[in-house]
Amino acid sequence: MMILRAEQDTETDTEAIARAFQPDEGLTAWDWGQAGITFLVAVILSRVLKWLVERTLRKRMDAALAVLIGRLVGYVVILIGVVYTFESLGLDVGVVLGALGIFGIALAFAFQDILQNFIAGILLQMKRPFTYGDQVEIDGHEGTIRAIDSRLVTIDTPDGETVMIPSATVIAADINNYTTLGGRRTSLEVGVAYGTDLALTREVLDGAVTSVDGVRDVPDPEVLFTGFGDSSIDFVVRYWHEPSIATFWRTRSEVGLAIDLALADAGITIPFPQRTLHWGTPPDAEPDDD
């Protein structure tokens, strides 16, 4: 009995959907034209409202969130336009929407990767770990955020490449935003030879890093002793600079060159690893009787 009832319900639903997509008899060319005009107006209105919402909200909130709200408004307007288009043709909107729901479930399984990226894109724009123009490192890629849409995050790298990362990958990855705090600290390790005056070494390193253009005075650069290595006495130089990737590389290079020159002028040696190898019989070994 239950199987027969389920089959009857399925047949009834199929017939209802088929009737819903059969327009009323006597539709004229004007009726079809009116439906087409309704849908076209909805598309144009959605684009206009999307642009107006984005432009208005950009002045009050983050640009990425403004774009998200604008897109959602556009989608709602198009959905309303589709409903009015169906009604103008005499279609049963309730049954049509039910049919679309059934097809929507099937499409969700078929395009689950696309749907996953779409939802992740919305979550990213709501959580806002970055915005347009931020310099970031995501999933091993460094660059500037150029676009954030419903499926992809687009990054322009310093090498002139454009990298598009799926939103689902971005939301699951570690995101390093260099821009958020307005500054970035870099560390550079330096080793000097054993027997060197450590107080003098620290003074020379501090003077070298402070003299470099691009190194910030606040917070102050630091020169810290880190340990006694195999071939050197080790220090680390830490300094702050602008957060951009280009500034990081330029400042690091200038600091390294300034340190090398300052140590050479002060007569301080930067050692290199040395190893002593012995061949033959050790001096204290007993000779073989054979």
Side-chain angles (χ1 to χ4, degrees):
M1 292 292 294
M2 293 180 63
I3 296 175
L4 291 175
R5 182 175 301 176
E7 291 178 353
Q8 292 175 355
D9 291 341
T10 303
E11 293 177 357
T12 302
D13 292 340
T14 305
E15 293 174 358
I17 293 172
R19 288 196 304 270
F21 281 96
Q22 293 178 358
D24 294 340
E25 297 180 359
L27 288 177
T28 64
W30 167 247
D31 294 327
W32 288 103
Q34 186 178 10
I37 292 172
T38 300
F39 183 73
L40 181 62
V41 169
V43 172
I44 295 175
L45 185 60
S46 70
R47 292 181 177 273
V48 172
L49 287 177
K50 175 179 175 293
W51 178 78
L52 287 175
V53 169
E54 288 183 14
R55 183 177 179 183
T56 302
L57 294 182
R58 277 176 183 267
K59 302 175 183 178
R60 297 181 173 87
M61 61 178 62
D62 182 77
L65 186 58
V67 171
L68 172 63
I69 296 175
R71 285 175 179 161
L72 293 177
V73 170
Y75 295 154
V76 170
V77 172
I78 290 181
L79 180 61
I80 295 174
V82 170
V83 171
Y84 275 102
T85 301
F86 285 162
E87 288 185 347
S88 65
L89 293 175
L91 299 178
D92 190 339
V93 177
V95 178
V96 171
L97 292 178
L100 291 177
I102 296 173
F103 289 121
I105 295 174
L107 290 175
F109 281 105
F111 300 101
Q112 56 182 338
D113 291 338
I114 295 177
L115 182 61
Q116 182 181 12
N117 285 317
F118 178 79
I119 295 174
I122 293 177
L123 292 176
L124 277 176
Q125 295 181 66
M126 293 178 66
K127 295 174 66 176
R128 293 179 294 168
F130 46 74
T131 187
Y132 299 116
D134 281 1
Q135 297 211 330
V136 299
E137 179 185 3
I138 302 173
D139 199 33
H141 301 286
E142 278 190 333
T144 304
I145 298 294
R146 188 180 75 182
I148 310 169
D149 60 29
S150 55
R151 293 194 310 107
L152 298 170
V153 174
T154 304
I155 296 178
D156 291 335
T157 72
D159 296 329
E161 301 172 340
T162 298
V163 179
M164 293 187 232
I165 308 175
S167 297
T169 300
V170 174
I171 205 168
D174 293 332
I175 301 172
N176 191 355
N177 192 327
Y178 302 133
T179 308
T180 303
L181 299 179
R184 185 176 177 184
R185 189 180 70 182
T186 298
S187 299
L188 185 63
E189 296 181 354
V190 181
V192 298
Y194 276 93
T196 303
D197 186 337
L198 299 187
L200 175 62
T201 300
R202 184 173 181 177
E203 182 181 344
V204 171
L205 292 175
D206 185 72
V209 69
T210 304
S211 67
V212 174
D213 184 28
V215 173
R216 291 183 172 179
D217 298 330
V218 179
D220 294 332
E222 295 178 308
V223 178
L224 303 174
F225 168 82
T226 58
F228 297 100
D230 293 337
S231 304
S232 63
I233 301 176
D234 299 326
F235 290 84
V236 62
V237 177
R238 304 197 299 185
Y239 56 92
W240 289 82
H241 54 82
E242 292 294 324
S244 70
I245 298 171
T247 302
F248 164 79
W249 288 109
R250 181 185 61 79
T251 308
R252 182 182 175 87
S253 174
E254 294 296 326
V255 168
L257 294 174
I259 287 175
D260 181 70
L261 181 60
L263 292 178
D265 290 342
I268 299 174
T269 302
I270 300 177
F272 54 88
Q274 298 183 22
R275 296 290 184 270
T276 302
L277 302 178
H278 299 278
W279 283 271
T281 303
D284 57 348
E286 295 182 0
D288 191 352
D289 293 337
D290 295 337

